[in-house]
Amino acid sequence: MRAILDSYDSELMSSEYSPQLSRRVRDAEEMLQKVHAQNAEMEAQLFKALEEMGNKKQKAESLEAEMNILKSQMGVMDQSAFVTNEEVNSLRLKIEELEAERGQLEEANKVLEMRLERLSLQGHYDPTKTKVIHVSMNPANLAKQHRKEEQQQQQKECERLRELVRILEGGNSVPEKLEIPGSAQSSQEIADLKKQVESAELKNQRLREVFQTKIHEFRTACYTLTGYQIDITTENQYRLTSMYAEHKDDCLLFKASKSSGGKMQLLETNFSLTVRDFIDLHLHHQNSIPAFLSAVTLDLFSRQTFA
C-alpha cells in the first residue's frame, strides 16, 4: 500500500500535491470513524445475541428439568396429580421452539464473528483494545508545511518578476529591490530577448502560412477525389456541395451527433427533398452515407451527360 501511494504521489504535479494529501487525510479520518462506529455496532449486536442465546438456553434447560421432574413423578403419584397430556405437548412444543431459536442465534453469532474476523484481516482494529500512537514530527505534516513555504516563496518570486517585466516594457530603469541577484539586466540582453521574440513570431507566421497552404491543398484534393466541397457552417454541421450540382444552392447538410458517438445525420434541405429515393435506399435500409453520396454523384453526372 505504501509503494502504491508513493507511485501515485510521484505522478502528481507540485501544485496538486498539497490538496491531494489533505483530501487523502480527510478521507482516511472519515473511513476510520466509520470503521469505529461499525465495530462498536457489531460488538453490541454480538453481545446482545450472546446474552439472548444464554437466556434462551437457561430457559430451555429449566423447562427440560421441569419436564424430567414431571416424568419422574408420573410413576409414583396418582394419575389425578399428573399433568395432562396437552400440557406436556405444549411444553414440548415450547422446548422445540426455544431450541430452534437457539440455533438461529448461534448462526447469527457465527456470522458476526466472521465479520469481525474479516475486519481484523483488513487492517481495522478495536479502539477499546488497540491504542494508536501519533508521531509528533509527522513526515506528512512536515512535507505539507515545506510545500506551503515553497509555494509562498514562488508566489513572491512571480510577483517580483511580473513587476520587473512591467517596468522593462515601459522602458524605465529597474529599481534595486527588483534586480535579480547575481545578474545584470543590460540593454544588450533586452535587445537579444526582443530579437528572440520577433524570431518566434516570424516562425509562427510561417507555420500559419504553411498550415493554410496544406489545408487548401487538402480541401482541393477532397473536392477532386470525392466530388464534394465540404464546408463547416456551424459547430458539428457540415455542408456538402457536389461539383456536378445544377444550381449553386443545391447542397446536403450533415450534423454530427455527440450523444450517438459522432454519428452523422442528414438534415432536410431543398435539394435533399429531390433525392428521397436515394435516402430511403442507402440511408434507411443500407445505412451507408458513402453509398448515398456516390449515388447522388452518379445521378447528377448522368444528368449533365445526357443534357
Side-chain angles (χ1 to χ4, degrees):
M1 291 293 292
R2 186 181 301 276
I4 294 174
L5 291 175
D6 293 340
S7 64
Y8 177 72
D9 292 337
S10 63
E11 296 177 358
L12 297 176
M13 299 296 291
S14 60
S15 60
E16 299 174 346
Y17 184 83
S18 178
Q20 185 69 16
L21 182 59
S22 301
R23 186 176 59 188
R24 282 172 44 197
V25 171
R26 290 195 301 269
D27 294 343
E29 291 178 353
E30 293 178 359
M31 183 178 296
L32 182 61
Q33 293 178 0
K34 292 180 180 179
V35 169
H36 290 173
Q38 186 177 5
N39 287 340
E41 182 179 356
M42 293 182 66
E43 287 185 354
Q45 293 178 0
L46 177 61
F47 294 154
K48 184 177 179 180
L50 292 174
E51 185 178 0
E52 291 179 356
M53 184 179 66
N55 294 334
K56 297 294 183 181
K57 186 175 181 180
Q58 292 178 359
K59 188 174 181 181
E61 291 176 352
S62 63
L63 290 174
E64 188 175 0
E66 293 178 0
M67 187 67 183
N68 294 330
I69 294 173
L70 291 175
K71 287 181 179 180
S72 62
Q73 292 177 356
M74 287 178 63
V76 295
M77 295 178 63
D78 189 69
Q79 187 175 1
S80 60
F82 292 166
V83 294
T84 61
N85 292 331
E86 295 180 356
E87 293 178 352
V88 172
N89 294 332
S90 62
L91 291 175
R92 288 178 178 175
L93 291 175
K94 288 182 180 180
I95 292 173
E96 292 177 357
E97 292 176 356
L98 292 174
E99 289 180 352
E101 188 174 355
R102 184 181 63 181
Q104 294 178 357
L105 292 175
E106 288 178 353
E107 292 293 333
N109 185 23
K110 291 180 180 179
V111 172
L112 292 176
E113 289 179 351
M114 291 175 63
R115 289 182 180 177
L116 288 174
E117 185 177 359
R118 187 185 305 170
L119 289 175
S120 63
L121 292 176
Q122 292 177 353
H124 302 297
Y125 63 93
D126 186 3
T128 60
K129 299 179 181 179
T130 306
K131 185 177 181 181
V132 179
I133 300 176
H134 297 278
V135 183
S136 59
M137 300 296 291
N138 195 342
N141 294 335
L142 294 177
K144 183 177 180 181
Q145 182 65 24
H146 183 63
R147 179 65 60 184
K148 184 176 180 181
E149 293 176 357
E150 286 184 352
Q151 288 179 352
Q152 293 177 354
Q153 184 177 0
Q154 291 175 359
Q155 188 174 4
K156 292 179 181 179
E157 184 69 15
C158 289
E159 293 294 336
R160 189 179 64 82
L161 292 176
R162 288 194 187 99
E163 184 67 19
L164 180 61
V165 170
R166 186 182 63 80
I167 293 175
L168 291 175
E169 289 178 349
N172 301 324
S173 60
V174 180
E176 294 181 358
K177 64 179 182 179
L178 294 179
E179 291 183 353
I180 299 176
S183 63
Q185 296 292 334
S186 62
S187 59
Q188 182 65 29
E189 292 176 351
I190 296 174
D192 293 339
L193 292 174
K194 289 182 179 179
K195 289 181 180 179
Q196 292 178 5
V197 172
E198 293 175 358
S199 176
E201 291 178 352
L202 181 61
K203 185 177 180 180
N204 291 335
Q205 180 65 26
R206 291 177 180 175
L207 288 175
R208 283 195 292 267
E209 294 175 357
V210 171
F211 289 156
Q212 290 177 358
T213 303
K214 293 297 181 182
I215 290 172
H216 179 70
E217 292 177 357
F218 179 75
R219 288 171 59 86
T220 304
C222 291
Y223 180 72
T224 304
L225 295 174
T226 64
Y228 287 94
Q229 180 180 348
I230 303 175
D231 299 315
I232 301 176
T233 57
T234 58
E235 184 179 2
N236 298 327
Q237 186 168 320
Y238 307 93
R239 179 179 61 199
L240 277 68
T241 305
S242 176
M243 64 170 59
Y244 303 115
E246 297 177 350
H247 302 90
K248 185 179 180 181
D249 296 334
D250 292 346
C251 63
L252 298 171
L253 287 179
F254 288 90
K255 185 176 183 180
S257 177
K258 296 181 180 180
S259 59
S260 58
K263 185 177 180 181
M264 290 290 182
Q265 296 180 354
L266 178 64
L267 303 180
E268 183 177 346
T269 61
N270 294 330
F271 178 70
S272 65
L273 296 176
T274 62
V275 291
R276 286 189 176 273
D277 296 338
F278 296 145
I279 294 174
D280 294 336
L281 176 60
H282 299 292
L283 295 184
H284 293 168
H285 293 85
Q286 298 178 351
N287 194 21
S288 176
I289 294 178
F292 168 70
L293 296 177
S294 300
V296 173
T297 301
L298 290 174
D299 182 66
L300 294 176
F301 178 75
S302 62
R303 292 181 189 176
Q304 291 189 2
T305 303
F306 291 145

